[in-house]
């Protein structure tokens, strides 16, 4: 693991524990055992560190999508599993609770929207969706509910809040747009 990776991992812990405003670069450096100079050699500021953490998570999420597409035949199962892969408490706090959200939340939500739409379009091409499924409306609804799940999970601060919320999203949206025989085969819980 490089120093940059160690700094990102430490920042995730510190941002999750303290939030963006209370987190300090001193706390991040202390966790890694480096000087502020070493941190500033990789990141120009605490904000740049936070943005890099969110961007690293977005890249991990995109890689997870590609891996899941190789594992699952159904784009809908990929969609369900990606919902769980998006769960990252520090990133959630950065996106929806800090000044960083002004910079990156819109890009992150746009990535979610594009991914959900692509997966629904793939499911439609495979004949997995009902004939009357409205892809744009379903995309917007699912993404809005995913954002809501993250906001509620942050507000209640319970370890399983996001997973329970995701289960509700899938159980409310998917039966309305997915063919019954496909719905019966989907695993709605987190991947094991």
């Amino acid at each position: 693991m490089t120093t940059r990776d160690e700094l990102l991992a430490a920042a995730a812990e510190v941002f999750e524990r303290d939030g963006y405003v209370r987190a300090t670069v001193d706390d991040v450096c202390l966790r890694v055992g480096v000087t502020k100079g070493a941190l500033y050699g990789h990141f120009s500021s605490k904000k740049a560190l936070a943005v890099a953490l969110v961007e690293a998570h977005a890249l991990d999420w995109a890689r997870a999508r590609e891996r899941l597409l190789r594992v699952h035949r159904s784009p809908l199962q990929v969609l369900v599993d990606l919902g769980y892969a998006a769960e990252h408490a520090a990133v959630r706090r950065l996106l929806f609770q800090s000044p960083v959200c002004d910079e990156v939340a819109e890009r992150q939500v746009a990535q979610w929207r594009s991914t959900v739409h692509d997966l629904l379009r793939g499911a439609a091409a495979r004949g997995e969706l009902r004939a009357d499924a409205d892809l744009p409306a379903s995309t917007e609804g699912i993404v809005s509910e995913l954002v809501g799940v993250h906001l509620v999970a942050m507000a209640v601060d319970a370890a399983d809040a996001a997973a329970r919320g995701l289960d509700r999203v899938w159980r409310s949206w998917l039966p309305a747009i997915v063919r019954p025989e496909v719905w019966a085969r989907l695993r709605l819980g987190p991947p094991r």
Side-chain angles (χ1 to χ4, degrees), residues 3-4 7-8 15 20 23-29 32 34-50:
T3 301
R4 185 180 194 280
L7 288 165
L8 287 171
F15 289 137
Y20 178 81
T24 67
V25 293
D26 289 330
D27 288 340
V28 174
C29 291
V32 178
V34 299
T35 65
K36 279 202 249 186
L39 182 138
Y40 288 127
H42 294 278
F43 307 100
S44 61
S45 64
K46 179 172 82 168
K47 186 175 183 178
L49 176 62

Side-chain angles (χ1 to χ4, degrees), residues 140-156:
E140 288 303 313
I142 290 170
V143 170
S144 295
E145 288 211 30
L146 291 174
V147 170
V149 162
H150 289 288
L151 290 171
V152 168
M154 194 170 50
V156 300

Side-chain angles (χ1 to χ4, degrees), residues 11-12 26 29 37 39 75 86 88 110 118 123 125-126 133-134 137-138 185:
D26 289 330
C29 291
L39 182 138
H88 190 289
D118 288 349
R126 289 178 48 88
D134 182 338
S138 297
R185 293 189 307 258

Side-chain angles (χ1 to χ4, degrees), residues 32 35 39 47 67 88 112-113 117 124 159 161 164 182:
V32 178
T35 65
L39 182 138
K47 186 175 183 178
R67 180 182 51 77
H88 190 289
W112 292 351
R113 187 177 291 116
H117 187 266
R164 285 182 296 139
V182 175

